[in-house]
Amino acid sequence: QVQLVESGGGLVQSGGSLRLSCAASGRTVSRSAMGWFRQAPGKEREFVASITWTGYPTFYTDSVKGRFTISRDNVKNMVYLQMSSLKPEDTAVYYCAAGGSVVAMTQKYEYDSWGQGTQVTVSS
């Protein structure tokens, strides 16, 4: 129902910044919670950040607090992840997700729709 396409990934040096974008479409997208998850090679997909359909509050995993900022623009149907002070351990494929019945905001199973991912590589 909600279609998601990520962009903005790439190669960046440690300490640098990247801004990921997620273009969303679908009749319920504006009423969906949005999240960013990431998956490193050989690792399970993990929660990074999420935002309610109203834009507040937002949620972050501890490892990115103070460095990443999630935001959304419901007029443009976009969600963003501004990443700064990037570390090599941030290297992963980043996925945008949407869910219409999200409560905890941090669990993979709560999200119904997923993008295909965008690669973020942080070098030392």
Side-chain angles (χ1 to χ4, degrees), residues 1-75:
Q1 189 172 42
V2 178
Q3 299 164 16
L4 307 171
V5 180
E6 304 97 333
S7 63
L11 175 64
V12 64
Q13 289 190 354
S14 180
S17 299
L18 281 175
R19 188 196 193 199
L20 305 184
S21 298
C22 175
S25 61
R27 65 181 181 86
T28 64
V29 62
S30 294
R31 289 167 288 169
S32 297
M34 303 293 295
W36 286 97
F37 292 75
R38 65 187 181 187
Q39 188 167 20
K43 303 293 181 64
E44 194 168 340
R45 192 172 301 184
E46 66 173 355
F47 167 76
V48 176
S50 60
I51 187 168
T52 66
W53 70 273
T54 61
Y56 181 86
T58 56
F59 305 84
Y60 301 92
T61 191
D62 287 343
S63 63
V64 308
K65 286 181 179 178
R67 301 189 298 121
F68 291 11
T69 301
I70 188 171
S71 62
R72 69 188 298 166
D73 185 335
N74 286 346
V75 175

Side-chain angles (χ1 to χ4, degrees), residues 5-13 17-22 36 79-83 86 90-95 116-122:
V5 180
E6 304 97 333
S7 63
L11 175 64
V12 64
Q13 289 190 354
S17 299
L18 281 175
R19 188 196 193 199
L20 305 184
S21 298
C22 175
W36 286 97
V79 62
Y80 306 97
L81 185 67
Q82 178 65 50
M83 306 182 294
L86 283 162
D90 295 318
T91 296
V93 176
Y94 283 70
Y95 297 89
Q116 294 302 303
T118 184
Q119 176 70 49
V120 172
T121 302
V122 184

